[in-house]
Amino acid sequence: MPIDPTLPYDDDNIFARILRGEIPCQKVYEDDWAFAFEDINPQAKVHTLVIPKGRYVSWDDFSARASDAEIVGFVRAVGEVARRKGLVEPGYRLLANIGAHAGQEVPHLHVHIFGGEPLGPMIWKR
Ligand code: AMP
């Protein structure tokens, strides 16, 4: 069920619980600004999620409210995770779903990193 990205942050969302260590995950990377773990239902050979440590519902919320330091830290972390995964030379795809039309399911900003194989067309066509 897609979430409403205009609602206030919910501290009980599943990624908040992963950040607090209440739910296990396959951790890939962590620094002061970001945390990365493997997607539980991978849609490509590599499917890793990167989330900011701050309380942001979506990319919309993050881009509007996050500090410059949080934005820099998060963007650098996404790049670092992709480099550590060896994805730069073969290439990879970033995706952030925001709200109903994109099918966002978890109300904590997450950037999907897809790679490890050719990824096909950019978007589903009718
Ligand atoms: P989105 O549709 O962009 O909100 O994506 C949510 C993603 O979170 C999906 O790809 C799910 O497979 C993934 N996901 C949900 N719960 C977990 C979990 N506990 N650990 C890892 N990934 C998860």
Side-chain angles (χ1 to χ4, degrees), residues 4 6 10 13 17 30 54 61 77 79 85 91 102 106 108 115 120-121 124:
D4 176 351
T6 66
D10 169 13
N13 79 76
R17 299 186 66 199
E30 181 173 12
D61 188 22
K85 290 254 169 201
V106 179
H108 182 118
W124 176 73

Side-chain angles (χ1 to χ4, degrees), residues 2-117:
I3 61 106
D4 176 351
T6 66
L7 289 178
Y9 186 81
D10 169 13
D11 281 300
D12 286 330
N13 79 76
I14 193 154
F15 291 173
R17 299 186 66 199
I18 285 175
L19 264 180
R20 293 196 296 267
E22 295 168 6
I23 291 179
C25 71
Q26 216 177 317
K27 180 175 162 180
V28 170
Y29 177 81
E30 181 173 12
D31 64 20
D32 288 348
W33 307 108
F35 187 89
F37 52 101
E38 304 297 5
D39 195 291
I40 204 167
N41 182 25
Q43 304 295 308
K45 277 189 183 159
V46 175
H47 186 174
T48 303
L49 301 172
V50 191
I51 66 177
K53 287 197 165 170
R55 300 166 71 255
Y56 298 101
V57 175
S58 70
W59 184 268
D60 177 69
D61 188 22
F62 185 71
S63 60
R65 289 199 307 109
S67 69
D68 291 359
E70 286 177 300
I71 290 171
V72 169
F74 181 66
V75 170
R76 288 208 191 280
V78 173
E80 180 63 21
V81 171
R83 281 188 291 278
R84 288 182 182 211
K85 290 254 169 201
L87 298 175
V88 176
E89 188 274 323
Y92 64 99
R93 180 172 293 157
L94 302 180
L95 175 74
N97 289 317
I98 298 105
H101 278 189
Q104 182 183 0
E105 288 182 347
V106 179
H108 182 118
L109 169 61
H110 46 286
V111 168
H112 299 255
I113 299 178
F114 299 107
E117 61 184 330

